[in-house]
C-alpha cells in the first residue's frame, strides 16, 4: 500500500451513555461525518489524482470487485480487502434441531476494518466539538416491514412500516402533528417526506412507504418537539435510526435492528 502521510481530523460530539444510567458523567462519542461518498465519488477522486485512468474504467472495475465480493460472501467465504474483513453470519437463537426460521433468524455479514485501514486510522486526530447532546431517552428501537414481518432493514415499496421506540411521537413546535419524518437516500442525500402517519404515538409510528420511492438505501429520521412532560421541547430533537433501510432488493446486511440515536438537542425538557 502506498504511504499516506496526510493527517486528518474527526470532529465528534458527546451523547449520554444510556447503558450506564447510574453514572452521571458518562458519555459516548458521535463523529460528525461530512458526506456520503459513492463509487463515482471515489472514482472521480482517483481520476483527479491519477489522470492516466478513465472515470468509467475505474467505476467498472470497482463495480466488478463489489460484485465479486458479494458473490464470494454468498458462497460462504470470508473476504479480506485492504479496507474491510467480511464474514458471513446468521443471527437469532436456534433450537437443537437447527431449523432456520426467517421470522426469528436472519442472514447477515459482519464487516470490520482490515489491517490497512487500521493503519490509516493512525493519521486521524479526534477533536471534541464542545457539544454534548442530550438524548432525553429518545430512540428508535426497531423498524418492521408489516408485509414480510422482517426487521432486518428490508422494506417493501408501497408497504406499511411499523416503527417502535421511545419518545418518537412526531410533533411540530406548536404541538401539531405530524412533525417531520423523512427517508434520506444515503447515496444522493435526497429526502422523501412522510406526510401521513397512521399511528403517531410516543412508542409507535406507522406509515406507508411511497410506491414511487426509488430502490436504494435510506436512513429513517424523525424530527420532533415532543416531550414526555407537559411542556414542548425548546429545540427540535432529531432521532436517526442507527441501521440502514433497504427499499427494493434484499439487504446485504440482514442484522436485526437494535436501536438508533438522537442527533440533536432536546432543549430544556426531557
Amino acid at each position: 500500500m502506498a504511504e499516506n502521510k496526510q493527517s486528518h481530523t474527526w470532529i465528534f460530539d458527546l451523547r449520554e451513555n444510556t447503558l450506564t444510567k447510574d453514572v452521571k458523567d458518562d458519555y459516548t462519542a458521535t463523529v460528525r461525518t461530512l458526506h456520503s461518498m459513492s463509487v463515482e465519488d471515489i472514482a472521480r477522486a482517483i481520476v483527479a489524482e491519477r489522470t492516466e485512468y478513465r472515470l468509467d474504467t475505474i467505476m467498472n472495475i470497482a463495480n466488478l470487485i463489489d460484485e465479486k465480493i458479494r458473490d464470494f460472501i454468498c458462497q460462504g467465504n470470508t473476504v479480506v480487502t485492504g479496507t474491510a474483513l467480511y464474514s458471513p453470519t446468521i443471527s437469532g437463537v436456534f433450537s437443537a434441531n437447527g431449523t432456520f426460521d426467517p421470522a426469528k433468524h436472519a442472514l447477515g455479514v459482519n464487516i470490520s476494518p482490515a489491517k490497512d485501514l487500521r493503519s490509516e486510522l493512525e493519521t486521524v486526530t479526534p477533536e471534541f466539538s464542545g457539544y454534548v447532546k442530550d438524548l432525553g431517552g429518545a430512540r428508535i428501537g426497531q423498524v418492521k416491514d408489516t408485509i414480510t414481518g422482517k426487521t432486518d432493514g428490508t422494506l417493501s415499496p408501497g408497504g406499511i412500516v411499523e416503527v417502535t421506540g421511545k419518545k418518537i411521537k412526531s410533533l411540530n413546535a406548536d404541538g401539531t402533528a405530524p412533525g417531520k419524518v423523512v427517508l434520506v437516500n444515503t447515496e444522493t442525500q435526497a429526502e422523501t417526506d412522510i406526510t401521513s402517519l397512521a399511528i403517531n404515538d410516543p412508542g409507535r409510528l406507522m406509515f406507508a412507504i411511497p410506491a414511487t420511492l426509488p430502490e436504494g438505501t435510506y436512513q429513517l429520521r424523525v424530527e420532533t418537539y415532543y416531550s414526555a412532560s407537559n411542556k414542548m421541547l425548546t429545540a427540535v430533537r432529531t432521532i436517526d435510526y442507527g441501521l440502514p433501510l433497504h427499499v427494493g432488493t434484499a439487504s446485504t446486511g440482514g442484522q436485526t435492528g437494535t436501536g438508533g440515536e438522537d442527533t440533536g438537542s432536546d432543549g430544556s425538557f426531557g
Side-chain angles (χ1 to χ4, degrees):
M1 182 187 70
E3 191 71 18
N4 186 355
K5 298 297 185 180
Q6 184 179 5
S7 61
H8 306 276
T9 301
W10 284 0
I11 306 298
F12 68 92
D13 304 321
L14 293 181
R15 62 189 181 100
E16 175 190 358
N17 186 353
T18 57
L19 297 179
T20 55
K21 294 182 179 179
D22 295 334
V23 182
K24 293 184 178 180
D25 191 20
D26 194 12
Y27 300 88
T28 58
T30 302
V31 177
R32 291 188 177 184
T33 55
L34 302 178
H35 305 285
S36 177
M37 310 303 289
S38 66
V39 171
E40 182 174 350
D41 293 321
I42 296 170
R44 289 188 183 280
I46 294 173
V47 169
E49 297 169 358
R50 306 285 297 273
T51 55
E52 69 269 27
Y53 296 109
R54 288 170 50 90
L55 175 65
D56 56 351
T57 301
I58 297 173
M59 290 187 61
N60 287 337
I61 292 174
N63 288 328
L64 287 172
I65 291 174
D66 275 348
E67 181 181 337
K68 193 52 63 179
I69 288 174
R70 294 192 296 267
D71 184 33
F72 282 158
I73 292 171
C74 289
Q75 290 176 26
N77 299 294
T78 295
V79 178
V80 182
T81 70
T83 300
L85 165 66
Y86 303 81
S87 303
T89 64
I90 300 177
S91 63
V93 178
F94 287 81
S95 60
N97 62 19
T99 301
F100 182 90
D101 182 352
K104 300 178 180 179
H105 311 116
L107 302 179
V109 179
N110 282 340
I111 304 175
S112 56
K115 179 180 178 181
D116 288 346
L117 178 55
R118 294 197 301 270
S119 177
E120 292 285 345
L121 290 177
E122 295 177 2
T123 68
V124 177
T125 301
E127 181 179 317
F128 179 38
S129 67
Y131 180 61
V132 179
K133 299 176 181 177
D134 186 357
L135 293 179
R139 65 187 296 269
I140 297 173
Q142 180 175 276
V143 177
K144 179 180 180 180
D145 185 327
T146 62
I147 292 179
T148 64
K150 292 184 177 181
T151 59
D152 63 356
T154 55
L155 300 178
S156 305
I160 304 298
V161 175
E162 180 184 38
V163 181
T164 52
K166 186 177 180 181
K167 296 185 180 180
I168 59 175
K169 184 174 184 178
S170 185
L171 297 178
N172 296 306
D174 60 1
T176 58
K180 188 173 183 181
V181 178
V182 296
L183 291 169
V184 183
N185 188 296
T186 58
E187 182 175 349
T188 65
Q189 296 301 300
E191 295 186 1
T192 299
D193 289 309
I194 304 299
T195 57
S196 178
L197 298 175
I199 295 176
N200 187 17
D201 293 336
R204 185 171 176 237
L205 305 178
M206 186 170 283
F207 57 86
I209 296 291
T212 57
L213 187 69
E215 180 178 311
T217 302
Y218 292 84
Q219 180 181 50
L220 173 63
R221 178 169 297 158
V222 176
E223 295 185 5
T224 182
Y225 287 84
Y226 169 78
S227 169
S229 70
N230 59 358
K231 295 181 179 180
M232 300 289 288
L233 300 179
T234 58
V236 67
R237 170 183 287 156
T238 301
I239 312 167
D240 288 338
Y241 186 49
L243 298 176
L245 301 174
H246 305 269
V247 176
T249 57
S251 159
T252 56
Q255 297 295 335
T256 299
T258 57
E261 65 174 280
D262 178 356
T263 58
S265 170
D266 69 351
S268 303
F269 307 103

